[in-house]
Coordinates of all heavy atoms in Angstrom, one line a residue:
M1370 N -31.4 -1.4 -39.5 CA -30.5 -2.2 -38.5 C -29.2 -1.4 -38.4 O -28.7 -1.4 -37.3 CB -30.3 -3.6 -39.0 CG -29.4 -4.3 -38.1 SD -29.0 -6.1 -38.4 CE -29.7 -6.5 -39.9
M1371 N -28.7 -0.9 -39.5 CA -27.4 -0.2 -39.4 C -27.5 1.0 -38.5 O -26.6 1.3 -37.7 CB -27.0 0.2 -40.8 CG -25.5 0.5 -40.9 SD -24.9 0.5 -42.6 CE -25.2 2.2 -43.1
A1372 N -28.6 1.8 -38.6 CA -28.7 3.0 -37.7 C -28.7 2.6 -36.3 O -28.3 3.4 -35.4 CB -30.0 3.7 -38.1
R1373 N -29.2 1.5 -35.9 CA -29.2 1.1 -34.5 C -27.8 0.8 -34.0 O -27.6 0.8 -32.8 CB -30.1 -0.1 -34.3 CG -31.5 0.2 -34.5 CD -32.4 -1.0 -34.2 NE -33.8 -0.7 -34.5 CZ -34.7 -1.6 -34.5 NH1 -34.5 -2.8 -34.3 NH2 -36.0 -1.2 -34.8
R1374 N -26.9 0.5 -34.9 CA -25.5 0.2 -34.4 C -24.6 1.4 -34.3 O -23.5 1.3 -33.7 CB -24.9 -0.8 -35.5 CG -25.6 -2.0 -35.7 CD -25.7 -2.9 -34.5 NE -26.4 -4.1 -34.8 CZ -27.6 -4.4 -34.3 NH1 -28.3 -3.6 -33.6 NH2 -28.2 -5.6 -34.6
I1375 N -25.0 2.5 -34.8 CA -24.2 3.7 -34.8 C -23.8 4.1 -33.4 O -22.6 4.4 -33.2 CB -24.9 4.9 -35.5 CG1 -24.9 4.6 -37.0 CG2 -24.2 6.2 -35.2 CD1 -25.6 5.6 -37.8
P1376 N -24.7 4.2 -32.4 CA -24.2 4.5 -31.0 C -23.1 3.7 -30.5 O -22.2 4.1 -29.7 CB -25.4 4.4 -30.2 CG -26.6 4.5 -31.1 CD -26.1 3.9 -32.4
S1377 N -23.0 2.4 -30.9 CA -22.0 1.5 -30.3 C -20.6 1.8 -31.0 O -19.6 1.4 -30.4 CB -22.4 0.1 -30.5 OG -22.4 -0.3 -31.9
I1378 N -20.6 2.4 -32.2 CA -19.3 2.7 -32.8 C -18.8 4.1 -32.6 O -17.7 4.4 -32.9 CB -19.3 2.3 -34.3 CG1 -20.3 3.2 -35.1 CG2 -19.6 0.8 -34.5 CD1 -20.3 3.0 -36.6
L1379 N -19.7 5.0 -32.0 CA -19.2 6.3 -31.8 C -18.3 6.4 -30.6 O -18.3 5.5 -29.7 CB -20.5 7.2 -31.4 CG -21.4 7.5 -32.6 CD1 -22.6 8.2 -32.0 CD2 -20.8 8.3 -33.6
P1380 N -17.3 7.3 -30.6 CA -16.4 7.4 -29.5 C -17.1 7.8 -28.2 O -18.2 8.5 -28.3 CB -15.4 8.4 -29.9 CG -16.1 9.2 -31.0 CD -17.1 8.3 -31.6
D1381 N -16.5 7.5 -27.1 CA -17.1 8.0 -25.8 C -17.1 9.5 -25.7 O -16.2 10.1 -26.3 CB -16.3 7.4 -24.6 CG -16.4 5.9 -24.5 OD1 -17.4 5.3 -25.0 OD2 -15.5 5.2 -24.0
L1382 N -18.0 10.0 -24.9 CA -18.0 11.5 -24.7 C -16.8 11.9 -23.9 O -16.3 11.2 -22.9 CB -19.2 11.8 -23.8 CG -20.6 11.8 -24.5 CD1 -21.7 12.1 -23.5 CD2 -20.6 12.9 -25.6
T1383 N -16.2 13.0 -24.2 CA -15.2 13.6 -23.4 C -15.8 14.2 -22.2 O -17.1 14.4 -22.2 CB -14.3 14.7 -24.2 OG1 -15.2 15.8 -24.5 CG2 -13.7 14.1 -25.4
F1384 N -15.1 14.6 -21.2 CA -15.7 15.2 -20.0 C -16.4 16.5 -20.4 O -17.5 16.8 -19.9 CB -14.6 15.5 -18.9 CG -15.2 16.0 -17.7 CD1 -16.0 15.2 -16.8 CD2 -15.0 17.3 -17.3 CE1 -16.5 15.8 -15.7 CE2 -15.5 17.9 -16.2 CZ -16.3 17.1 -15.3
E1385 N -15.8 17.3 -21.2 CA -16.4 18.6 -21.7 C -17.7 18.4 -22.4 O -18.7 19.1 -22.2 CB -15.4 19.4 -22.5 CG -14.2 20.0 -21.8 CD -13.1 18.9 -21.5 OE1 -13.1 17.9 -22.2 OE2 -12.3 19.1 -20.6
E1386 N -17.7 17.4 -23.3 CA -18.9 17.1 -24.0 C -20.0 16.6 -23.1 O -21.2 16.9 -23.2 CB -18.7 16.0 -25.1 CG -17.8 16.5 -26.2 CD -17.4 15.3 -27.2 OE1 -17.3 14.2 -26.7 OE2 -17.2 15.6 -28.4
A1387 N -19.7 15.7 -22.1 CA -20.6 15.2 -21.1 C -21.2 16.4 -20.3 O -22.4 16.4 -20.1 CB -20.0 14.2 -20.2
L1388 N -20.4 17.3 -19.9 CA -20.9 18.5 -19.2 C -21.9 19.3 -20.1 O -22.9 19.8 -19.6 CB -19.8 19.4 -18.8 CG -19.0 19.0 -17.5 CD1 -17.9 19.9 -17.2 CD2 -19.9 18.9 -16.3
E1389 N -21.5 19.5 -21.3 CA -22.4 20.3 -22.2 C -23.8 19.6 -22.4 O -24.8 20.2 -22.3 CB -21.7 20.5 -23.6 CG -22.4 21.4 -24.5 CD -21.6 21.7 -25.8 OE1 -20.4 21.4 -25.8 OE2 -22.2 22.2 -26.7
V1390 N -23.7 18.3 -22.7 CA -25.0 17.5 -22.8 C -25.8 17.6 -21.5 O -27.0 17.8 -21.6 CB -24.7 16.1 -23.2 CG1 -25.9 15.2 -23.2 CG2 -24.1 16.0 -24.6
T1391 N -25.2 17.5 -20.4 CA -25.8 17.5 -19.1 C -26.5 18.9 -18.9 O -27.6 19.0 -18.4 CB -24.9 17.2 -18.0 OG1 -24.3 15.9 -18.2 CG2 -25.6 17.1 -16.6
K1392 N -25.7 19.9 -19.2 CA -26.3 21.3 -19.1 C -27.5 21.5 -19.9 O -28.5 22.1 -19.4 CB -25.2 22.3 -19.5 CG -24.1 22.5 -18.5 CD -23.1 23.5 -19.1 CE -21.8 23.6 -18.3 NZ -20.8 24.5 -18.9
I1393 N -27.5 21.0 -21.1 CA -28.7 21.2 -22.0 C -29.9 20.5 -21.4 O -31.0 21.0 -21.4 CB -28.3 20.7 -23.4 CG1 -27.3 21.6 -24.1 CG2 -29.6 20.5 -24.3 CD1 -26.7 21.0 -25.4
H1394 N -29.7 19.3 -21.0 CA -30.8 18.5 -20.4 C -31.3 19.1 -19.1 O -32.5 19.1 -18.8 CB -30.4 17.0 -20.2 CG -30.5 16.3 -21.5 ND1 -31.7 15.7 -21.9 CD2 -29.6 16.0 -22.4 CE1 -31.5 15.1 -23.0 NE2 -30.2 15.2 -23.3
S1395 N -30.3 19.7 -18.3 CA -30.7 20.3 -17.0 C -31.5 21.6 -17.3 O -32.6 21.8 -16.6 CB -29.4 20.7 -16.3 OG -29.7 21.4 -15.1
I1396 N -31.1 22.4 -18.2 CA -31.9 23.6 -18.6 C -33.3 23.3 -19.1 O -34.2 23.9 -18.8 CB -31.1 24.5 -19.6 CG1 -29.9 25.1 -18.9 CG2 -32.0 25.6 -20.1 CD1 -28.9 25.8 -19.8
A1397 N -33.3 22.2 -19.9 CA -34.6 21.8 -20.5 C -35.5 21.1 -19.5 O -36.7 20.9 -19.8 CB -34.4 20.9 -21.7
G1398 N -35.0 20.8 -18.3 CA -35.8 20.1 -17.3 C -36.0 18.6 -17.5 O -36.9 18.0 -17.0
T1399 N -35.1 18.0 -18.3 CA -35.2 16.6 -18.6 C -34.2 15.8 -18.0 O -34.1 14.6 -18.2 CB -35.2 16.4 -20.2 OG1 -33.9 16.8 -20.7 CG2 -36.3 17.1 -20.9
L1400 N -33.3 16.4 -17.1 CA -32.3 15.6 -16.4 C -32.9 14.9 -15.3 O -33.6 15.5 -14.4 CB -31.2 16.6 -15.9 CG -30.0 16.0 -15.3 CD1 -29.2 15.1 -16.3 CD2 -29.1 17.0 -14.8
L1401 N -32.7 13.6 -15.2 CA -33.2 12.8 -14.1 C -32.5 13.0 -12.9 O -31.3 13.3 -12.9 CB -33.1 11.3 -14.5 CG -33.9 10.9 -15.8 CD1 -33.6 9.4 -16.1 CD2 -35.4 11.2 -15.6
K1402 N -33.2 13.0 -11.7 CA -32.5 13.4 -10.5 C -31.5 12.3 -10.0 O -30.5 12.7 -9.3 CB -33.6 13.5 -9.4 CG -34.5 14.6 -9.6 CD -35.5 14.8 -8.5 CE -36.4 16.0 -8.9 NZ -36.9 16.7 -7.8
D1403 N -31.6 11.1 -10.5 CA -30.6 10.1 -10.1 C -29.5 10.0 -11.1 O -28.6 9.1 -11.0 CB -31.3 8.7 -10.0 CG -32.0 8.2 -11.3 OD1 -32.3 9.1 -12.1 OD2 -32.2 7.0 -11.4
T1404 N -29.4 10.9 -12.1 CA -28.3 10.9 -13.0 C -27.6 12.3 -12.9 O -28.0 13.3 -13.4 CB -28.9 10.8 -14.5 OG1 -29.7 9.7 -14.6 CG2 -27.8 10.7 -15.5
P1405 N -26.5 12.3 -12.2 CA -25.7 13.5 -12.0 C -25.1 14.1 -13.3 O -25.0 15.3 -13.5 CB -24.7 13.2 -10.9 CG -24.5 11.7 -11.0 CD -25.8 11.2 -11.5
I1406 N -24.7 13.2 -14.1 CA -24.0 13.6 -15.4 C -24.4 12.6 -16.5 O -24.4 11.4 -16.2 CB -22.5 13.8 -15.3 CG1 -21.9 14.5 -16.5 CG2 -21.8 12.5 -15.0 CD1 -20.5 15.0 -16.3
I1407 N -24.6 13.0 -17.7 CA -25.0 12.1 -18.8 C -23.7 11.7 -19.4 O -22.9 12.5 -19.8 CB -25.9 12.8 -19.8 CG1 -27.2 13.2 -19.1 CG2 -26.1 12.0 -21.0 CD1 -28.2 14.0 -20.0
T1408 N -23.5 10.4 -19.5 CA -22.2 9.9 -20.1 C -22.4 9.2 -21.4 O -21.4 8.9 -22.1 CB -21.6 8.9 -19.1 OG1 -22.5 7.8 -18.8 CG2 -21.2 9.5 -17.8
K1409 N -23.6 8.9 -21.8 CA -23.9 8.3 -23.1 C -24.2 9.4 -24.2 O -24.8 10.4 -23.9 CB -25.1 7.4 -23.1 CG -24.9 6.1 -22.3 CD -26.2 5.3 -22.4 CE -26.0 3.9 -22.1 NZ -27.2 3.1 -22.2
R1410 N -23.7 9.2 -25.4 CA -23.9 10.1 -26.4 C -25.4 10.2 -26.8 O -26.1 9.2 -26.9 CB -23.2 9.7 -27.7 CG -21.8 10.1 -27.7 CD -21.2 10.0 -29.1 NE -19.8 10.3 -29.0 CZ -19.3 11.6 -29.0 NH1 -20.1 12.6 -29.2 NH2 -18.0 11.8 -28.9
P1411 N -26.0 11.4 -26.9 CA -27.4 11.5 -27.3 C -27.6 11.1 -28.7 O -26.9 11.6 -29.6 CB -27.7 13.0 -27.1 CG -26.4 13.7 -27.1 CD -25.4 12.7 -26.7
Y1412 N -28.4 10.1 -28.9 CA -28.6 9.6 -30.3 C -30.1 9.2 -30.4 O -30.6 8.5 -29.5 CB -27.7 8.4 -30.6 CG -28.0 7.9 -32.0 CD1 -27.4 8.5 -33.1 CD2 -28.8 6.8 -32.1 CE1 -27.7 8.0 -34.3 CE2 -29.0 6.3 -33.4 CZ -28.5 6.9 -34.5 OH -28.7 6.4 -35.7
R1413 N -30.7 9.6 -31.5 CA -32.1 9.1 -31.8 C -32.1 8.6 -33.2 O -31.5 9.1 -34.1 CB -33.0 10.3 -31.7 CG -33.5 10.5 -30.3 CD -34.6 11.4 -30.3 NE -34.5 12.5 -29.3 CZ -34.2 12.3 -28.1 NH1 -34.0 11.1 -27.6 NH2 -34.1 13.3 -27.2
A1414 N -32.8 7.5 -33.4 CA -33.0 6.9 -34.7 C -34.4 7.2 -35.1 O -35.4 6.6 -34.7 CB -32.8 5.4 -34.6
P1415 N -34.6 8.2 -36.0 CA -35.9 8.6 -36.4 C -36.5 7.5 -37.3 O -35.8 6.8 -38.0 CB -35.7 9.9 -37.1 CG -34.3 9.9 -37.6 CD -33.5 9.1 -36.6
H1416 N -37.8 7.5 -37.4 CA -38.5 6.6 -38.3 C -38.2 7.0 -39.7 O -38.0 8.2 -40.0 CB -40.0 6.7 -38.0 CG -40.8 5.5 -38.6 ND1 -41.4 5.7 -39.8 CD2 -41.0 4.3 -38.2 CE1 -42.0 4.5 -40.2 NE2 -41.7 3.7 -39.2
H1417 N -38.2 6.1 -40.6 CA -37.9 6.4 -42.0 C -38.9 7.3 -42.7 O -38.6 7.8 -43.8 CB -37.7 5.1 -42.8 CG -38.9 4.3 -43.0 ND1 -39.4 3.5 -42.1 CD2 -39.7 4.2 -44.1 CE1 -40.5 2.9 -42.6 NE2 -40.7 3.4 -43.8
T1418 N -40.1 7.5 -42.1 CA -41.1 8.3 -42.7 C -41.1 9.7 -42.1 O -42.0 10.5 -42.4 CB -42.5 7.7 -42.6 OG1 -42.8 7.6 -41.2 CG2 -42.6 6.4 -43.3
V1419 N -40.1 10.1 -41.3 CA -40.1 11.4 -40.7 C -40.0 12.5 -41.7 O -39.3 12.4 -42.7 CB -38.9 11.4 -39.6 CG1 -37.6 11.5 -40.3 CG2 -39.0 12.6 -38.7
S1420 N -40.7 13.6 -41.4 CA -40.6 14.8 -42.3 C -39.4 15.6 -42.0 O -38.8 15.5 -40.9 CB -41.8 15.6 -42.2 OG -41.9 16.3 -41.0
A1421 N -38.9 16.4 -42.9 CA -37.8 17.3 -42.7 C -38.0 18.2 -41.5 O -37.1 18.4 -40.7 CB -37.4 18.1 -43.9
S1422 N -39.1 18.8 -41.4 CA -39.4 19.7 -40.3 C -39.4 19.0 -38.9 O -38.9 19.5 -37.9 CB -40.7 20.5 -40.5 OG -41.8 19.6 -40.5
S1423 N -39.9 17.8 -38.9 CA -40.0 17.1 -37.6 C -38.6 16.6 -37.2 O -38.2 16.4 -36.1 CB -41.0 16.0 -37.6 OG -40.6 15.0 -38.5
L1424 N -37.7 16.4 -38.2 CA -36.4 15.9 -38.0 C -35.5 16.9 -37.3 O -34.7 16.6 -36.4 CB -35.7 15.4 -39.3 CG -34.3 14.8 -39.2 CD1 -34.4 13.5 -38.4 CD2 -33.8 14.5 -40.6
V1425 N -35.7 18.2 -37.6 CA -34.9 19.2 -37.0 C -35.6 19.9 -35.8 O -35.0 20.8 -35.2 CB -34.5 20.3 -38.0 CG1 -33.7 19.8 -39.1 CG2 -35.8 21.0 -38.6
G1426 N -36.7 19.4 -35.4 CA -37.3 20.0 -34.2 C -38.8 20.0 -34.2 O -39.5 19.6 -33.3
G1427 N -39.3 20.5 -35.3 CA -40.8 20.5 -35.5 C -41.6 21.4 -34.6 O -42.8 21.3 -34.6
G1428 N -41.0 22.3 -33.8 CA -41.7 23.1 -32.9 C -41.1 24.5 -32.8 O -40.0 24.7 -33.3
R1429 N -41.8 25.4 -32.1 CA -41.3 26.7 -32.0 C -40.2 26.8 -30.9 O -39.2 27.5 -31.0 CB -42.4 27.7 -31.5 CG -43.4 28.0 -32.6 CD -44.5 29.0 -32.1 NE -44.8 28.8 -30.7 CZ -44.9 29.8 -29.8 NH1 -44.8 31.0 -30.2 NH2 -45.3 29.6 -28.6
I1430 N -40.3 25.9 -29.9 CA -39.4 25.9 -28.8 C -38.7 24.6 -28.8 O -39.2 23.6 -28.3 CB -40.0 26.2 -27.4 CG1 -40.8 27.5 -27.5 CG2 -39.0 26.2 -26.3 CD1 -41.7 27.8 -26.3
P1431 N -37.5 24.5 -29.3 CA -36.8 23.2 -29.4 C -36.3 22.8 -28.0 O -35.8 23.6 -27.2 CB -35.6 23.4 -30.3 CG -35.4 24.8 -30.3 CD -36.7 25.5 -30.0
K1432 N -36.4 21.5 -27.6 CA -35.9 21.0 -26.4 C -35.6 19.5 -26.5 O -36.3 18.8 -27.3 CB -36.8 21.3 -25.2 CG -38.1 20.6 -25.2 CD -38.9 21.0 -24.0 CE -40.2 20.4 -24.0 NZ -41.0 20.7 -22.8
P1433 N -34.6 19.0 -25.9 CA -34.2 17.6 -26.0 C -35.3 16.7 -25.3 O -36.0 17.1 -24.4 CB -32.9 17.5 -25.2 CG -32.9 18.6 -24.3 CD -33.7 19.7 -25.0
R1434 N -35.5 15.5 -25.9 CA -36.4 14.6 -25.3 C -35.7 13.6 -24.4 O -34.5 13.3 -24.6 CB -37.1 13.8 -26.4 CG -38.1 14.6 -27.2 CD -38.8 13.8 -28.2 NE -38.9 12.4 -27.9 CZ -39.1 11.5 -28.8 NH1 -39.2 11.8 -30.1 NH2 -39.2 10.2 -28.5
R1435 N -36.4 13.0 -23.5 CA -35.8 11.9 -22.7 C -35.7 10.7 -23.5 O -36.6 10.4 -24.3 CB -36.6 11.7 -21.4 CG -36.5 12.7 -20.4 CD -37.3 12.3 -19.2 NE -37.3 13.5 -18.3 CZ -38.0 13.5 -17.2 NH1 -38.7 12.5 -16.9 NH2 -38.0 14.6 -16.5
N1436 N -34.7 9.9 -23.2 CA -34.6 8.6 -23.9 C -35.4 7.5 -23.2 O -35.7 7.5 -22.2 CB -33.1 8.1 -24.0 CG -32.4 9.0 -25.0 OD1 -33.0 9.6 -25.9 ND2 -31.1 9.1 -24.8

């Protein structure tokens, strides 16, 4: 339950951070067409049984996932 509250207590993205996150999603091809810029902090709550390798990417070509 505590991990689900973390996004609500994190500070808002600065404009530079929002641009950086948007660029990453754009290059990865995961940017939605109706979303010109990402304004929410990227955050994922992994399952408690996640392995160390899957937590850091788990693949040869890392790319962000859509929420």
Side-chain angles (χ1 to χ4, degrees):
M1370 180 179 2
M1371 197 163 90
R1373 291 185 184 167
R1374 305 296 182 252
I1375 289 176
S1377 67
I1378 62 173
L1379 290 173
D1381 293 334
L1382 285 174
T1383 64
F1384 183 71
E1385 290 80 19
E1386 290 172 330
L1388 281 179
E1389 187 173 346
V1390 170
T1391 302
K1392 287 177 188 177
I1393 292 170
H1394 281 275
S1395 177
I1396 291 170
T1399 60
L1400 186 63
L1401 301 175
K1402 293 184 185 210
D1403 60 338
T1404 307
I1406 190 166
I1407 296 174
T1408 57
K1409 287 183 165 181
R1410 280 196 183 273
Y1412 178 79
R1413 276 192 227 306
H1416 193 265
H1417 69 279
T1418 61
V1419 69
S1420 67
S1422 62
S1423 65
L1424 184 63
V1425 296
R1429 292 182 322 135
I1430 304 171
K1432 63 181 183 178
R1434 288 182 27 200
R1435 288 186 187 172
N1436 289 337

